[in-house]
Amino acid sequence: MTDFLTAAVGFILVMLALGLVSILRGPGDTDRMMAAQLIGTGGIATLLLLGTVTGVPAAVDVALTLALLATFASIAFVKKGLSSLDGTGPAEDK
Amino acid sequence: MSLVRDITTIAAVSAGAFFFLAGTVGLLRFPDTLTRLHALTKADNLGLGLVVFGLLPQAGSLRDGLKLVSIWLLGLLAGATVSQLIARSARQGETTK
Amino acid sequence: MSAVTVFGLCAAAAVGLGLYGLITNPQPLRKIIAFNLLGSGVFLLFGVIGRRGAAAGVGNDPVPQALVITGVVVAFSATALAIALLLRLFQKAGSTTLSNGALPSAGSDPPSG
Amino acid sequence: MSVATVFEIVLAAVVLGLGIWTTAVRETYSATVGFIAYGLLVALIWVRLDAVDVALTEAAIGGGLGGVLLLGAAARLRNAELVATEAPGKVTRVSAAALSILIAAALAGAVLMLPDSVSTLAPTVVAHTWATGLTNPITNVLMAFRAMDTMLEKVVLLLAIVGVWSLAPDSAWGGHPGPRHQTDPHGVLAFLARLLPPVGIVVGIYILWTGANHPGGAFQGGAILASMWLLAIMAGLTDTPPVSSRRLRFILIAGPGLFLIVGLGGLWFGAAFLAYPPALAKPLILGIEIAMILTIATTLGLLLAGAPERSAER
């Protein structure tokens, strides 16, 4: 069981890395916004599996914290991206 | 009984990993922002959801199980909101260019 | 090579990368990011070495862990202050260059502006 | 080679790759995104190192608040990048690379050649758990055995906020930090900002409460509360308070203030500064933590909001 979950966690991590590569070099801002979202979700899934594999039940708490803060970070990211696109909001300072 | 639980875990986590694979392939191969976003949300909703579902039988207590489910619900909420905002920003980018 | 050693090597590399970025990157914001990278490498080294201090009931020496938590908070405060300084510099001088007199606007602006 | 080691090598390789990306990529915006991803995966490493308390802190700061702080600055400075791009000369680059490689190699050597004898305070910490009644050893170190460090750390947070505020232009002195956000009050962002904070507040308090016996604590909980507050601000549901507000300033000093009072009480009634009487240790520590979570949440939120930019309405 542990071996299977460890393999699964490694697999998802590789997928996460591949997704990151494709997105970080992606041409547009929207692609980078997707990166934030993908990292959040993939990180949470990896964390939950890792917690079960290593027998650290508190990893679930880390995942819970991450779920909230990743949401916040993605929203902030998209909002900043939006405001720098249409020129209203924080990017427009003066 | 524990065999049933383990089989559930293996099946669901494998399916979740498959959706992460599908999402990543979509991100790598799909041509434009909106289709890539479509691929991403599959990894978000189904990938995470199936991983959570697979880990439920392994959870030690009811409280841990509830935490797992609430993590998935938070993920759903975040995914839905963020992808709508991204899609809107992509539309805006198209119209201004 | 044990799993913990792999992370130790990764931390050493992060310190090196952070130091390189801190010296060579001309943009102040990049310097701040590089400094954080360096810091996280140092914190990880604490964790890797503290892993050896595992005792009954704890998987990692609690004293370095507490030090790292304090360190993360202090690093965050310093980053926030540095970014506030940087934004103010940008507001005032219209650029974020650190080199003296590289831009005419940075050199000719009266300091009291 | 076991499966576990493969996973760790993959994780270390991805983290290292992100570190290289962050250092080498041309655009600052991409570097910031890379650094956020880096911070999140470092949290995974901390879980693997069995340091869940640090993982929580790293997830809250590296993946969350710190990332948003850097992103905000990168978004604002986007236009500035075009002007200032004088790269250092080749000699500087080569010597910097040589120096960095030397230091990294020295550290790697130190990691590989750690002495066999382990000097650790972990058994001492575990042996003295009875003194506070809390069973999380890290909380014990932070709040009791090395409480002085934690108190001064809160003072550093306070000094940082004083430093950030003092950068305000004269016209905005004592005013609101950051821009006033306007969004569609029936839009999806406003919806999320109404739905998520109640959940976030519960989780934040849970993380504080569980910190007594399991990984967690005031700082991690405070970071969650701060992010929920900022979410409501970003959605335009509420505004940042004017920094001259007396109530705000009282909250900012409540945590370190209570800590200091308890510390002086230890000097008066007990053996030393910050010595808790054993019977009262747990309630005192929890009291300080509850005051601190409010202070921390407010301070972190205001550090992210930045210097005052708009004068307070009179």
Short mmCIF file of all heavy atoms in Angstrom, two decimals, chain D residues 243-295:
data_model
loop_
_atom_site.label_atom_id
_atom_site.label_comp_id
_atom_site.label_asym_id
_atom_site.label_seq_id
_atom_site.Cartn_x
_atom_site.Cartn_y
_atom_site.Cartn_z
N VAL D 243 -4.20 54.27 9.24
CA VAL D 243 -3.20 53.79 10.20
C VAL D 243 -3.14 54.66 11.44
O VAL D 243 -2.47 54.32 12.40
CB VAL D 243 -1.80 53.68 9.56
CG1 VAL D 243 -1.84 52.79 8.35
CG2 VAL D 243 -1.26 55.04 9.21
N SER D 244 -3.84 55.81 11.41
CA SER D 244 -3.83 56.63 12.63
C SER D 244 -4.88 56.16 13.63
O SER D 244 -4.95 56.69 14.73
CB SER D 244 -4.08 58.08 12.26
OG SER D 244 -5.23 58.18 11.46
N SER D 245 -5.69 55.16 13.24
CA SER D 245 -6.76 54.70 14.12
C SER D 245 -6.19 54.17 15.44
O SER D 245 -5.27 53.36 15.45
CB SER D 245 -7.56 53.62 13.40
OG SER D 245 -8.08 52.69 14.33
N ARG D 246 -6.76 54.64 16.54
CA ARG D 246 -6.26 54.22 17.85
C ARG D 246 -6.54 52.76 18.12
O ARG D 246 -5.71 52.03 18.68
CB ARG D 246 -6.92 55.05 18.94
CG ARG D 246 -6.12 56.25 19.31
CD ARG D 246 -6.82 57.07 20.38
NE ARG D 246 -6.27 58.41 20.34
CZ ARG D 246 -5.13 58.74 20.92
NH1 ARG D 246 -4.44 57.84 21.58
NH2 ARG D 246 -4.67 59.98 20.85
N ARG D 247 -7.71 52.30 17.70
CA ARG D 247 -8.07 50.92 17.94
C ARG D 247 -7.09 49.98 17.23
O ARG D 247 -6.64 48.98 17.79
CB ARG D 247 -9.49 50.67 17.43
CG ARG D 247 -10.21 49.60 18.20
CD ARG D 247 -11.67 49.60 17.83
NE ARG D 247 -11.80 49.51 16.38
CZ ARG D 247 -12.88 49.01 15.77
NH1 ARG D 247 -13.88 48.59 16.48
NH2 ARG D 247 -12.95 48.96 14.47
N LEU D 248 -6.75 50.35 15.98
CA LEU D 248 -5.81 49.54 15.21
C LEU D 248 -4.47 49.48 15.93
O LEU D 248 -3.87 48.41 16.08
CB LEU D 248 -5.64 50.16 13.83
CG LEU D 248 -4.64 49.45 12.93
CD1 LEU D 248 -5.24 48.15 12.47
CD2 LEU D 248 -4.27 50.30 11.75
N ARG D 249 -4.01 50.62 16.40
CA ARG D 249 -2.70 50.64 17.06
C ARG D 249 -2.73 49.84 18.35
O ARG D 249 -1.75 49.18 18.71
CB ARG D 249 -2.29 52.08 17.33
CG ARG D 249 -2.04 52.80 16.03
CD ARG D 249 -1.50 54.17 16.23
NE ARG D 249 -1.17 54.76 14.93
CZ ARG D 249 -0.54 55.89 14.79
NH1 ARG D 249 -0.15 56.57 15.85
NH2 ARG D 249 -0.28 56.35 13.59
N PHE D 250 -3.88 49.85 19.02
CA PHE D 250 -3.97 49.06 20.24
C PHE D 250 -3.85 47.57 19.92
O PHE D 250 -3.13 46.83 20.60
CB PHE D 250 -5.30 49.35 20.95
CG PHE D 250 -5.52 48.48 22.14
CD1 PHE D 250 -4.81 48.72 23.31
CD2 PHE D 250 -6.39 47.39 22.09
CE1 PHE D 250 -4.98 47.90 24.42
CE2 PHE D 250 -6.55 46.57 23.18
CZ PHE D 250 -5.85 46.83 24.35
N ILE D 251 -4.54 47.13 18.84
CA ILE D 251 -4.44 45.71 18.46
C ILE D 251 -3.00 45.36 18.12
O ILE D 251 -2.51 44.29 18.45
CB ILE D 251 -5.39 45.42 17.28
CG1 ILE D 251 -6.83 45.59 17.70
CG2 ILE D 251 -5.17 44.01 16.76
CD1 ILE D 251 -7.82 45.41 16.59
N LEU D 252 -2.31 46.30 17.44
CA LEU D 252 -0.95 46.00 17.01
C LEU D 252 -0.01 45.78 18.19
O LEU D 252 0.94 45.00 18.09
CB LEU D 252 -0.40 47.14 16.14
CG LEU D 252 -0.96 47.19 14.73
CD1 LEU D 252 -0.37 48.34 13.97
CD2 LEU D 252 -0.67 45.89 13.99
N ILE D 253 -0.24 46.48 19.30
CA ILE D 253 0.67 46.30 20.42
C ILE D 253 0.14 45.31 21.46
O ILE D 253 0.84 44.98 22.41
CB ILE D 253 1.03 47.63 21.12
CG1 ILE D 253 -0.22 48.28 21.65
CG2 ILE D 253 1.80 48.54 20.20
CD1 ILE D 253 0.06 49.32 22.68
N ALA D 254 -1.11 44.82 21.27
CA ALA D 254 -1.70 43.96 22.29
C ALA D 254 -0.86 42.71 22.54
O ALA D 254 -0.56 42.38 23.69
CB ALA D 254 -3.12 43.57 21.88
N GLY D 255 -0.45 42.03 21.46
CA GLY D 255 0.29 40.77 21.62
C GLY D 255 1.61 40.96 22.34
O GLY D 255 1.83 40.41 23.43
N PRO D 256 2.53 41.75 21.75
CA PRO D 256 3.81 41.95 22.44
C PRO D 256 3.63 42.60 23.81
O PRO D 256 4.37 42.28 24.75
CB PRO D 256 4.60 42.88 21.50
CG PRO D 256 3.79 43.09 20.31
CD PRO D 256 2.51 42.39 20.43
N GLY D 257 2.62 43.46 23.94
CA GLY D 257 2.39 44.13 25.23
C GLY D 257 2.05 43.13 26.31
O GLY D 257 2.63 43.13 27.41
N LEU D 258 1.09 42.23 26.01
CA LEU D 258 0.70 41.22 26.99
C LEU D 258 1.89 40.30 27.33
O LEU D 258 2.12 39.96 28.49
CB LEU D 258 -0.47 40.39 26.46
CG LEU D 258 -1.05 39.38 27.44
CD1 LEU D 258 -1.66 40.11 28.63
CD2 LEU D 258 -2.10 38.52 26.78
N PHE D 259 2.65 39.96 26.27
CA PHE D 259 3.83 39.13 26.46
C PHE D 259 4.80 39.80 27.45
O PHE D 259 5.31 39.18 28.39
CB PHE D 259 4.54 38.96 25.10
CG PHE D 259 5.13 37.61 24.88
CD1 PHE D 259 5.14 37.06 23.61
CD2 PHE D 259 5.69 36.89 25.92
CE1 PHE D 259 5.70 35.81 23.39
CE2 PHE D 259 6.25 35.65 25.71
CZ PHE D 259 6.25 35.11 24.44
N LEU D 260 5.00 41.09 27.25
CA LEU D 260 5.92 41.83 28.09
C LEU D 260 5.41 41.89 29.53
O LEU D 260 6.17 41.70 30.49
CB LEU D 260 6.09 43.25 27.53
CG LEU D 260 7.22 44.08 28.10
CD1 LEU D 260 8.56 43.43 27.79
CD2 LEU D 260 7.18 45.49 27.53
N ILE D 261 4.09 42.12 29.67
CA ILE D 261 3.53 42.21 31.03
C ILE D 261 3.69 40.88 31.76
O ILE D 261 4.12 40.84 32.93
CB ILE D 261 2.04 42.63 30.95
CG1 ILE D 261 1.94 44.08 30.49
CG2 ILE D 261 1.36 42.45 32.30
CD1 ILE D 261 0.54 44.51 30.16
N VAL D 262 3.38 39.78 31.04
CA VAL D 262 3.54 38.47 31.66
C VAL D 262 5.01 38.24 32.02
O VAL D 262 5.34 37.71 33.09
CB VAL D 262 3.01 37.36 30.73
CG1 VAL D 262 3.37 35.99 31.26
CG2 VAL D 262 1.51 37.47 30.57
N GLY D 263 5.90 38.66 31.12
CA GLY D 263 7.33 38.50 31.38
C GLY D 263 7.76 39.24 32.62
O GLY D 263 8.45 38.70 33.50
N LEU D 264 7.30 40.50 32.73
CA LEU D 264 7.67 41.28 33.92
C LEU D 264 7.03 40.68 35.17
O LEU D 264 7.63 40.69 36.25
CB LEU D 264 7.21 42.73 33.73
CG LEU D 264 8.00 43.51 32.67
CD1 LEU D 264 7.38 44.88 32.47
CD2 LEU D 264 9.46 43.63 33.05
N GLY D 265 5.82 40.13 35.00
CA GLY D 265 5.18 39.45 36.13
C GLY D 265 6.03 38.29 36.63
O GLY D 265 6.14 38.06 37.84
N GLY D 266 6.65 37.58 35.67
CA GLY D 266 7.55 36.50 36.07
C GLY D 266 8.71 37.01 36.90
O GLY D 266 9.16 36.36 37.85
N LEU D 267 9.17 38.20 36.53
CA LEU D 267 10.28 38.79 37.29
C LEU D 267 9.83 39.17 38.70
O LEU D 267 10.56 39.04 39.68
CB LEU D 267 10.75 40.04 36.54
CG LEU D 267 12.14 40.57 36.82
CD1 LEU D 267 13.17 39.51 36.52
CD2 LEU D 267 12.41 41.79 35.97
N TRP D 268 8.57 39.63 38.79
CA TRP D 268 8.04 40.12 40.06
C TRP D 268 7.67 38.97 41.00
O TRP D 268 8.11 38.92 42.16
CB TRP D 268 6.80 40.97 39.77
CG TRP D 268 6.27 41.70 40.97
CD1 TRP D 268 5.24 41.31 41.76
CD2 TRP D 268 6.76 42.93 41.48
NE1 TRP D 268 5.04 42.22 42.76
CE2 TRP D 268 5.96 43.23 42.61
CE3 TRP D 268 7.78 43.81 41.12
CZ2 TRP D 268 6.16 44.38 43.37
CZ3 TRP D 268 7.97 44.95 41.87
CH2 TRP D 268 7.18 45.22 42.98
N PHE D 269 6.87 38.01 40.44
CA PHE D 269 6.37 36.95 41.29
C PHE D 269 7.27 35.72 41.30
O PHE D 269 7.25 34.95 42.24
CB PHE D 269 4.97 36.51 40.83
CG PHE D 269 3.95 37.60 40.98
CD1 PHE D 269 3.46 38.27 39.87
CD2 PHE D 269 3.48 37.95 42.24
CE1 PHE D 269 2.52 39.27 40.02
CE2 PHE D 269 2.53 38.95 42.38
CZ PHE D 269 2.05 39.62 41.27
N GLY D 270 7.99 35.51 40.20
CA GLY D 270 8.67 34.24 40.06
C GLY D 270 10.18 34.39 40.06
O GLY D 270 10.74 35.29 40.68
N ALA D 271 10.80 33.49 39.33
CA ALA D 271 12.25 33.39 39.38
C ALA D 271 12.93 34.37 38.44
O ALA D 271 13.94 34.96 38.78
CB ALA D 271 12.67 31.96 39.05
N ALA D 272 12.39 34.53 37.24
CA ALA D 272 13.11 35.31 36.24
C ALA D 272 12.13 35.93 35.26
O ALA D 272 10.94 35.65 35.29
CB ALA D 272 14.08 34.40 35.48
N PHE D 273 12.66 36.79 34.39
CA PHE D 273 11.86 37.38 33.33
C PHE D 273 11.26 36.26 32.50
O PHE D 273 11.97 35.34 32.09
CB PHE D 273 12.76 38.29 32.47
CG PHE D 273 12.02 39.01 31.40
CD1 PHE D 273 11.06 39.96 31.72
CD2 PHE D 273 12.29 38.75 30.07
CE1 PHE D 273 10.38 40.63 30.73
CE2 PHE D 273 11.61 39.42 29.07
CZ PHE D 273 10.65 40.36 29.40
N LEU D 274 9.94 36.33 32.26
CA LEU D 274 9.22 35.34 31.46
C LEU D 274 9.14 33.95 32.11
O LEU D 274 8.88 32.97 31.43
CB LEU D 274 9.83 35.20 30.05
CG LEU D 274 9.40 36.27 29.07
CD1 LEU D 274 10.24 36.18 27.81
CD2 LEU D 274 7.94 36.12 28.71
N ALA D 275 9.39 33.88 33.42
CA ALA D 275 9.19 32.60 34.10
C ALA D 275 7.70 32.48 34.44
O ALA D 275 7.15 33.34 35.11
CB ALA D 275 10.02 32.54 35.37
N TYR D 276 7.04 31.41 33.92
CA TYR D 276 5.64 31.22 34.25
C TYR D 276 5.55 30.36 35.50
O TYR D 276 6.27 29.38 35.62
CB TYR D 276 4.90 30.48 33.13
CG TYR D 276 5.09 31.03 31.75
CD1 TYR D 276 5.67 30.27 30.76
CD2 TYR D 276 4.67 32.32 31.44
CE1 TYR D 276 5.83 30.75 29.48
CE2 TYR D 276 4.83 32.81 30.16
CZ TYR D 276 5.42 32.03 29.18
OH TYR D 276 5.58 32.51 27.93
N PRO D 277 4.63 30.70 36.42
CA PRO D 277 4.37 29.76 37.52
C PRO D 277 3.78 28.48 36.94
O PRO D 277 2.87 28.56 36.11
CB PRO D 277 3.37 30.50 38.41
CG PRO D 277 2.90 31.67 37.63
CD PRO D 277 3.83 31.92 36.50
N PRO D 278 4.29 27.31 37.32
CA PRO D 278 3.88 26.05 36.67
C PRO D 278 2.38 25.84 36.64
O PRO D 278 1.84 25.34 35.65
CB PRO D 278 4.58 24.98 37.51
CG PRO D 278 5.73 25.67 38.12
CD PRO D 278 5.34 27.09 38.33
N ALA D 279 1.68 26.24 37.70
CA ALA D 279 0.24 25.97 37.73
C ALA D 279 -0.49 26.81 36.67
O ALA D 279 -1.50 26.39 36.12
CB ALA D 279 -0.32 26.28 39.11
N LEU D 280 0.04 28.02 36.40
CA LEU D 280 -0.64 28.92 35.48
C LEU D 280 -0.04 28.90 34.08
O LEU D 280 -0.46 29.66 33.22
CB LEU D 280 -0.58 30.35 36.03
CG LEU D 280 -1.44 30.63 37.25
CD1 LEU D 280 -1.19 32.03 37.76
CD2 LEU D 280 -2.91 30.47 36.88
N ALA D 281 0.97 28.04 33.86
CA ALA D 281 1.71 28.12 32.60
C ALA D 281 0.80 28.00 31.39
O ALA D 281 0.85 28.82 30.47
CB ALA D 281 2.79 27.04 32.57
N LYS D 282 -0.07 26.98 31.41
CA LYS D 282 -0.88 26.75 30.21
C LYS D 282 -1.85 27.90 29.93
O LYS D 282 -1.88 28.42 28.82
CB LYS D 282 -1.63 25.42 30.33
CG LYS D 282 -2.25 25.00 29.02
CD LYS D 282 -2.76 23.58 29.04
CE LYS D 282 -3.32 23.24 27.67
NZ LYS D 282 -3.86 21.88 27.62
N PRO D 283 -2.64 28.33 30.94
CA PRO D 283 -3.53 29.47 30.64
C PRO D 283 -2.78 30.73 30.22
O PRO D 283 -3.24 31.44 29.32
CB PRO D 283 -4.28 29.70 31.96
CG PRO D 283 -3.83 28.68 32.91
CD PRO D 283 -2.92 27.73 32.24
N LEU D 284 -1.62 30.97 30.84
CA LEU D 284 -0.86 32.16 30.46
C LEU D 284 -0.41 32.08 29.00
O LEU D 284 -0.56 33.03 28.23
CB LEU D 284 0.35 32.33 31.37
CG LEU D 284 0.09 32.99 32.72
CD1 LEU D 284 1.37 33.02 33.54
CD2 LEU D 284 -0.43 34.40 32.52
N ILE D 285 0.13 30.90 28.63
CA ILE D 285 0.62 30.76 27.26
C ILE D 285 -0.52 30.90 26.27
O ILE D 285 -0.42 31.60 25.26
CB ILE D 285 1.34 29.40 27.10
CG1 ILE D 285 2.66 29.41 27.86
CG2 ILE D 285 1.57 29.08 25.63
CD1 ILE D 285 3.38 28.10 27.85
N LEU D 286 -1.66 30.27 26.59
CA LEU D 286 -2.80 30.37 25.67
C LEU D 286 -3.29 31.81 25.57
O LEU D 286 -3.63 32.29 24.49
CB LEU D 286 -3.93 29.44 26.13
CG LEU D 286 -3.66 27.96 25.88
CD1 LEU D 286 -4.83 27.13 26.38
CD2 LEU D 286 -3.43 27.69 24.40
N GLY D 287 -3.30 32.51 26.70
CA GLY D 287 -3.72 33.91 26.68
C GLY D 287 -2.83 34.75 25.79
O GLY D 287 -3.30 35.54 24.96
N ILE D 288 -1.51 34.55 25.95
CA ILE D 288 -0.58 35.30 25.11
C ILE D 288 -0.81 34.95 23.65
O ILE D 288 -0.84 35.82 22.78
CB ILE D 288 0.88 34.98 25.51
CG1 ILE D 288 1.17 35.49 26.91
CG2 ILE D 288 1.85 35.59 24.52
CD1 ILE D 288 2.53 35.06 27.42
N GLU D 289 -1.02 33.66 23.37
CA GLU D 289 -1.20 33.26 21.96
C GLU D 289 -2.46 33.86 21.37
O GLU D 289 -2.47 34.25 20.21
CB GLU D 289 -1.24 31.73 21.87
CG GLU D 289 0.12 31.12 22.06
CD GLU D 289 0.30 29.85 21.25
OE1 GLU D 289 -0.45 28.91 21.53
OE2 GLU D 289 1.16 29.82 20.37
N ILE D 290 -3.53 33.94 22.17
CA ILE D 290 -4.78 34.50 21.63
C ILE D 290 -4.59 35.99 21.34
O ILE D 290 -5.02 36.48 20.29
CB ILE D 290 -5.94 34.25 22.62
CG1 ILE D 290 -6.29 32.76 22.60
CG2 ILE D 290 -7.16 35.07 22.23
CD1 ILE D 290 -7.19 32.33 23.71
N ALA D 291 -3.91 36.70 22.24
CA ALA D 291 -3.65 38.11 21.96
C ALA D 291 -2.73 38.24 20.74
O ALA D 291 -2.88 39.14 19.92
CB ALA D 291 -3.01 38.77 23.18
N MET D 292 -1.79 37.30 20.63
CA MET D 292 -0.83 37.41 19.55
C MET D 292 -1.42 37.11 18.20
O MET D 292 -1.03 37.70 17.20
CB MET D 292 0.36 36.49 19.81
CG MET D 292 1.45 37.25 20.47
SD MET D 292 3.00 36.41 20.69
CE MET D 292 2.81 34.80 20.12
N ILE D 293 -2.42 36.19 18.14
CA ILE D 293 -2.96 35.85 16.81
C ILE D 293 -3.64 37.08 16.21
O ILE D 293 -3.52 37.34 15.00
CB ILE D 293 -3.89 34.62 16.87
CG1 ILE D 293 -4.15 34.11 15.46
CG2 ILE D 293 -5.18 34.91 17.56
CD1 ILE D 293 -4.95 32.83 15.41
N LEU D 294 -4.30 37.88 17.05
CA LEU D 294 -4.92 39.11 16.55
C LEU D 294 -3.86 40.07 16.05
O LEU D 294 -3.95 40.63 14.95
CB LEU D 294 -5.73 39.77 17.67
CG LEU D 294 -7.06 39.12 17.99
CD1 LEU D 294 -7.68 39.81 19.18
CD2 LEU D 294 -7.97 39.22 16.78
N THR D 295 -2.82 40.26 16.89
CA THR D 295 -1.75 41.17 16.49
C THR D 295 -1.08 40.70 15.21
O THR D 295 -0.82 41.49 14.30
CB THR D 295 -0.71 41.25 17.62
OG1 THR D 295 -1.37 41.68 18.80
CG2 THR D 295 0.39 42.20 17.27
#
